[in-house]
């Protein structure tokens, strides 16, 4: 089972993630001879408290994606009131960090757009992705591993 092993930082278990339009969208763009956007990357927090993966609007905007819909999001700061957020279908790539080991590629996954950059991160890896992985958080040694 390939995976990554990283140190837990002061921000928690964070890792670099690359975002692209979803694989089906990229195929449609190629067929229409539309130039493909360059991948964008950012620091994501592995968050077992997030039911869904969340991406900062600063990563979505350069890809030129159209929202696929909206969803209500509730956080402690919304005081029980749902906050409407755009949703997008994207492709996510999490590099393994080991030569010749496969990256963790999610060809098409719905993500929720929110403002995370002020917190020093560009996204949250939620339980929708974590359900496909084995996550080991070792606070004693100060590292974590994510196998897929």
């Amino acid at each position: 089972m390939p995976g990554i092993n990283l140190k837990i930082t002061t921000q928690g278990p964070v890792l670099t993630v690359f975002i692209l339009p979803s694989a089906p969208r990229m195929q449609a763009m190629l067929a229409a001879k539309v130039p493909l956007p360059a991948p964008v990357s950012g620091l994501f927090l592995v968050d077992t408290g997030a039911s869904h993966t969340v991406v900062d609007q600063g990563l979505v905007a350069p890809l030129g994606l159209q929202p696929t819909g909206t969803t209500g999001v509730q956080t402690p700061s919304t005081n029980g009131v749902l906050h409407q957020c755009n949703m997008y279908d994207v492709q996510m790539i999490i590099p393994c960090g080991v030569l010749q080991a496969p990256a963790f590629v999610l060809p098409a996954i719905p993500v929720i757009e929110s403002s995370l950059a002020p917190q020093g991160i560009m996204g949250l890896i939620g339980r929708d992705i974590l359900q496909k992985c084995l996550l080991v958080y070792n606070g004693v040694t100060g590292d974590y591993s994510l196998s897929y």
Side-chain angles (χ1 to χ4, degrees):
M1 186 178 238
I4 57 174
N5 298 297
L6 294 168
K7 288 290 183 191
I8 300 167
T9 71
T10 55
Q11 291 176 294
V14 293
L15 47 82
T16 299
V17 174
F18 290 86
I19 304 289
L20 293 153
S22 69
R25 176 72 183 134
M26 288 184 57
Q27 289 171 350
M29 292 171 77
L30 284 171
K33 299 188 187 316
V34 174
L36 298 178
V40 293
S41 67
L43 197 62
F44 279 53
L45 174 68
V46 176
D47 186 353
T48 61
S51 59
H52 290 86
T53 296
V54 180
V55 176
D56 188 87
Q57 57 254 94
L59 288 184
V60 175
L63 298 176
L65 300 176
Q66 295 299 314
T68 57
T70 61
T71 189
V73 175
Q74 186 174 356
T75 69
S77 64
T78 62
N79 261 346
V81 177
L82 291 178
H83 173 70
Q84 292 299 309
C85 295
N86 286 331
M87 294 189 71
Y88 298 88
D89 288 337
V90 300
Q91 179 174 182
M92 294 182 70
I93 302 170
I94 302 173
C96 181
V98 177
L99 291 178
Q100 299 181 347
F104 184 25
V105 178
L106 298 142
I109 185 162
V111 297
I112 298 169
E113 177 187 46
S114 188
S115 176
L116 297 169
Q119 298 176 53
I121 57 173
M122 295 301 285
L124 302 173
I125 301 290
R127 293 190 310 271
D128 56 339
I129 291 178
L130 294 176
Q131 71 183 3
K132 305 170 191 308
C133 305
L134 170 65
L135 172 65
V136 177
Y137 184 98
N138 190 335
V140 174
T141 62
D143 38 35
Y144 75 98
S145 62
L146 186 68
S147 301
Y148 43 89

